[in-house]
Amino acid sequence: MDWRIENAKDGNLTVKMNNHYLYSKYFPYKDACKWIRSEVDRTVSVYCLIGLGLGYHLKALLELKVKQPIYVYYFEEEEYNLFLENNKDDWWDTPQVKIVHDLKNLNLAEDVQLLIPNSIVKAISIDHPLHSILEVIKINTISYKKTSAKMEQNFIENNKKKNKFLKRTQYTQTRLACLVAAGPSLDETVYWLKEQQKNVDIYVVGAALKVLIQHGIVPKAVVLSDAADGTIHQFSNTKYCGDLYYLCTANYKTVDTYRGPRTILFQRGYQQAEQYAKKNNLPLVETGGSVATTTFSLLEHLNYSTIVLFGQDLGFSGTATHAEGSPSKNEITSVEFLREVEANDGTMVYTTSMFQSFWYWYKEKVKSQNIKVYNTALKGVKIPGVPNIVLEEFRKLIYKGENING
């Protein structure tokens, strides 16, 4: 990493990491204090600050007179040495503060608050081992802040309903599970599902439900996770009345309009959901940040041993963002802020930081489970451990139960 000290406009020092300012070049300490005040949750038991820099964020946190332990992670020795060289009075040297370089030294409680400045995520290189982890955490934190009030309202309203609850299946499912998202590749592979719909269990995300209905495909279940009111359009004029699985924080108005069987899900990481699940001895699902990753976690709880992904592109080979007929379909007008990554066919496709956070979730999930996972999106982003399959291989999985990879 490249570290450079500069003089800010207000006379304080500021620092660049990999040519990105970690603080303002005008008022570095003042802006660090402002960010800390806007982010800090005083109800947690531990703080973990990612990035030491010149210590401005740490100093601002201590000035708030918080009592909780504070862990500060620095990336490399040069960063730590810069901090020491520019902080001679040891104001930070207290039992409350632990400055660490090894993540194994983070003795964190469940209710830790991770404090990750936006500048840190931008500054570390994309091939840094922590980049994906920090980006996932940052995206989820921003998303939660934007929707927290709506999520709480949905949680209250959804728990007033007469709900069925998820119970983990004790036996392995004998049929293949097809997880259907709304990526552009679904336009090509939806016909596979039409051909085999009687022989597989189809679980579809809300954004892809109308695509299946238009092709005469009736899924086993649909999954809803979004808190926003706009999800109501995913179900309008479909006449679908199969199983609905929905997060306890999903849009309650959309759930209210649904007339079929409904099963409520409680997610890990949302405090009220965890408390409710613990009190009522209910399982927790992982969300992974998207409705598709939530659906994958649901299939895991239902004990499917093989999952085939449809429309889970996590990127764009053309200009379409979603399959034809999806209420979420849009067109890409600029690739300025997109990234290029490898697709299943070896070509390069564009993706977003949000999609990359889902990619990271799948990568880690597949490594930690014994579930066989396959992807049908030829132009979709390549996920380690998830081989791409063609129609004939899909048929073999169904009729012969073969391990097509030997």
Side-chain angles (χ1 to χ4, degrees), residues 12 51 53 65 83 90 137 161 222 250 271 282 299 376 404:
N12 283 306
K65 308 286 187 195
F83 169 75
D90 293 347
I137 294 170
K161 309 181 198 317
V222 62
Q271 188 175 23
L282 298 171
L299 296 177
T376 62
I404 60 174

Side-chain angles (χ1 to χ4, degrees), residues 309-327:
L309 306 178
F310 284 79
Q312 188 62 108
D313 297 42
L314 302 179
F316 323 101
S317 60
T319 60
T321 61
H322 291 76
E324 194 68 42
S326 169

